[in-house]
Amino acid sequence: METTGRAGATASRDGREPGVVGGKALDGSRPVDGYLLASFPWYGLDQSFAGPRWLMQVGTSADGTVEHGALGHGDAPTLKASLPMADPAPDAQRFAVVVTLAHRPVRSSADGTGVLDATSESSAAWLAGSGLLSCTWPQRMERSLRQDWLEQQTAIAWELADDLSGPAWSTLTLPVDGVPTPFRYRESEYGWVLAGSAQGAHLGAYGRGMSAYGLAFAVVRDITAYQG
C-alpha cells in the first residue's frame, strides 16, 4: 500500500494545519499553496453542504510532488486538550473530512533505490482511517497508555484498509459529481470511514456526528473557498 507522505494527510490534534498560526503559514506561504500545486483534482462535499469548509494539509513525496490532501467540512475536530479528563460528547463535533489521493502506478522512488506501490482504494482507506484516529482518540485513557492504544488502533486500521472485501466493510453508493459511485464503508465507536475511486483520484472520507449516508462528493472548482 502506498504510504508516501502519509503524515501529511491529517490535521494536527487541535484541528489546525501543522505549521499554521492565525491562518498564516509559519514559512510565509499560504496554506492553499500546496493544494494549487497538485496535478489531480481535489474532491470535497458538493454544494448541498452549506456549512463551514476548511483546509487541512497536503502530503508530498520525497521530491515534493503533491500526492494527497484533505479538506474539512463542518466543525474542525479537536481533542479539547484544556479538558484532559473529559471525552467530547458524541454529538459535540459534526465533521466530515474528504481525502483525495492521486492515481499513481507502480514507480521508482525519488532516490531511485526502491519501488513504490501503486495507489489504490486501500491507500485512501488507510489515510482516512488514520485521520479519524488522529482526532478521536479517548481522553479518559491514562496518558501512559495512550501511545500503546494509538499504535494498536493504527495497526488495526492498516489491516482493515488492506482487506476492503472483508466482513468489516459494507458497500455504500454515493454520488460523485452526480454519478452513483460505490464505496467501501465501515463504522466504529469513533466515527465512520469510507473509500472509493473517482475520475482522476482515489477518495477516502471520515467523519463523526454527520451521517455518511447523505453525503455527495464533487470536484472542487475553487479551492480558495476553503481558506475560511
Side-chain angles (χ1 to χ4, degrees):
M1 187 190 308
E2 172 64 68
T3 60
T4 302
R6 77 184 186 208
T10 61
S12 62
R13 287 179 174 171
D14 64 359
R16 294 179 179 272
E17 180 185 354
V20 174
V21 176
K24 297 181 179 179
L26 297 180
D27 62 2
S29 64
R30 301 174 303 166
V32 74
D33 288 347
Y35 292 87
L36 295 172
L37 294 174
S39 61
F40 52 89
W42 294 107
Y43 284 83
L45 298 187
D46 74 358
Q47 293 305 307
S48 65
F49 176 77
R53 297 171 183 256
W54 29 276
L55 298 173
M56 296 183 73
Q57 190 180 20
V58 299
T60 61
S61 61
D63 63 1
T65 301
V66 176
E67 299 287 350
H68 58 78
L71 296 172
H73 308 78
D75 303 322
T78 173
L79 292 181
K80 298 185 177 180
S82 60
L83 300 173
M85 295 306 293
D87 283 334
D91 59 349
Q93 298 174 347
R94 300 180 67 254
F95 64 88
V97 173
V98 181
V99 178
T100 306
L101 172 66
H103 280 298
R104 300 287 191 229
V106 175
R107 60 211 184 278
S108 298
S109 60
D111 60 8
T113 61
V115 175
L116 299 175
D117 292 338
T119 58
S120 65
E121 292 181 7
S122 288
S123 311
W126 155 246
L127 290 169
S130 59
L132 180 64
L133 285 175
S134 73
C135 60
T136 57
W137 55 287
Q139 291 287 75
R140 294 183 182 276
M141 185 178 295
E142 291 183 15
R143 187 177 300 274
S144 61
L145 299 177
R146 289 177 186 169
Q147 187 59 40
D148 289 342
W149 178 90
L150 188 58
E151 290 177 358
Q152 178 190 56
Q153 294 300 314
T154 298
I156 292 172
W158 182 274
E159 293 171 1
L160 289 171
D162 264 345
D163 187 21
L164 292 183
S165 61
W169 299 88
S170 60
T171 300
L172 179 60
T173 299
L174 297 171
V176 179
D177 283 326
V179 179
T181 303
F183 288 86
R184 301 302 291 170
Y185 172 80
R186 69 177 177 89
E187 294 181 355
S188 73
E189 61 184 300
Y190 309 110
W192 51 263
V193 172
L194 58 79
S197 292
Q199 186 68 35
H202 301 292
L203 297 184
Y206 62 92
R208 183 173 179 176
M210 291 174 58
S211 173
Y213 288 84
L215 300 183
F217 305 101
V219 169
V220 176
R221 302 301 178 185
D222 180 12
I223 193 66
T224 62
Y226 281 80
Q227 291 185 102

